[in-house]
């Protein structure tokens, strides 16, 4: 069953939670956006070795629940591993959640939450 237009009509942006290289590449491709003041929220989070898991969790919750203008959330798979319990329990259609590889960490289909759901659906 398709989602009603009200669920996606105002969702125009991509968001990314990723390492510096992934965020830089996507920002250079034009996905960057900052909301109007006074709150001025960015649609990306650059994660490095010093970034706390709670910061990643807050960004994930903000992009998936609070922001109603995000259509797709891209997250590096190795970062998704840090908050795997949130990623695996996320079931909303919008924003769509996609795990992507990074330069240092190749894609592992066995860890991808979307692929796991598809396999369960087909009984694999």
């Amino acid at each position: 069953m398709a989602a009603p237009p009200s669920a996606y009509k105002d969702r125009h942006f991509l968001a990314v939670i990723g390492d510096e290289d992934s965020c830089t590449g996507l920002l250079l491709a034009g996905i960057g956006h900052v909301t109007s003041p006074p709150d001025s929220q960015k649609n990306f989070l650059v994660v490095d070795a010093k970034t706390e898991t709670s910061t990643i969790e807050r960004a994930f919750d903000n992009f998936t629940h609070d922001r109603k203008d995000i259509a797709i959330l891209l997250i590096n798979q190795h970062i998704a591993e840090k908050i795997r319990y949130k990623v695996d329990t996320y079931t909303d259609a919008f924003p769509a959640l996609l795990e992507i590889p990074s330069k240092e960490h190749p894609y592992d289909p066995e860890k991808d939450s979307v692929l796991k759901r598809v396999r369960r659906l087909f009984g694999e």
Side-chain angles (χ1 to χ4, degrees):
M1 183 171 145
S6 62
Y8 58 81
K9 72 179 181 88
D10 293 327
R11 296 185 181 271
H12 304 289
F13 300 109
L14 294 172
V16 62
I17 300 174
D19 58 18
E20 186 174 10
D21 290 335
S22 298
C23 287
T24 300
L26 289 165
L27 290 172
L28 286 171
I31 72 151
H33 180 261
V34 179
T35 60
S36 302
D39 59 350
S40 298
Q41 297 179 31
K42 297 180 283 190
N43 67 332
F44 60 93
L45 173 68
V46 178
V47 177
D48 59 19
K50 298 177 186 173
T51 306
E52 296 182 10
T53 302
S54 61
T55 304
I56 300 168
E57 290 172 341
R58 271 196 310 278
F60 182 84
D61 290 338
N62 181 36
F63 294 147
T64 56
H65 297 105
D66 302 337
R67 298 270 307 259
K68 301 302 181 195
D69 59 347
I70 303 294
I72 300 171
L73 172 58
L74 303 173
I75 184 169
N76 281 133
Q77 193 173 48
H78 73 279
I79 295 169
E81 282 299 310
K82 295 180 180 183
I83 57 167
R84 180 57 61 195
Y85 63 96
K86 281 189 173 282
V87 172
D88 285 345
T89 58
Y90 181 75
T91 59
D92 294 346
F94 295 102
L97 177 63
L98 299 173
E99 294 180 36
I100 60 174
S102 70
K103 189 166 77 172
E104 301 293 323
H105 300 88
Y107 176 75
D108 183 359
E110 297 302 319
K111 296 179 181 177
D112 191 324
S113 60
V114 173
L115 197 54
K116 285 180 189 175
R117 287 187 201 130
V118 170
R119 286 183 176 155
R120 270 190 302 224
L121 183 67
F122 289 111
E124 294 180 17

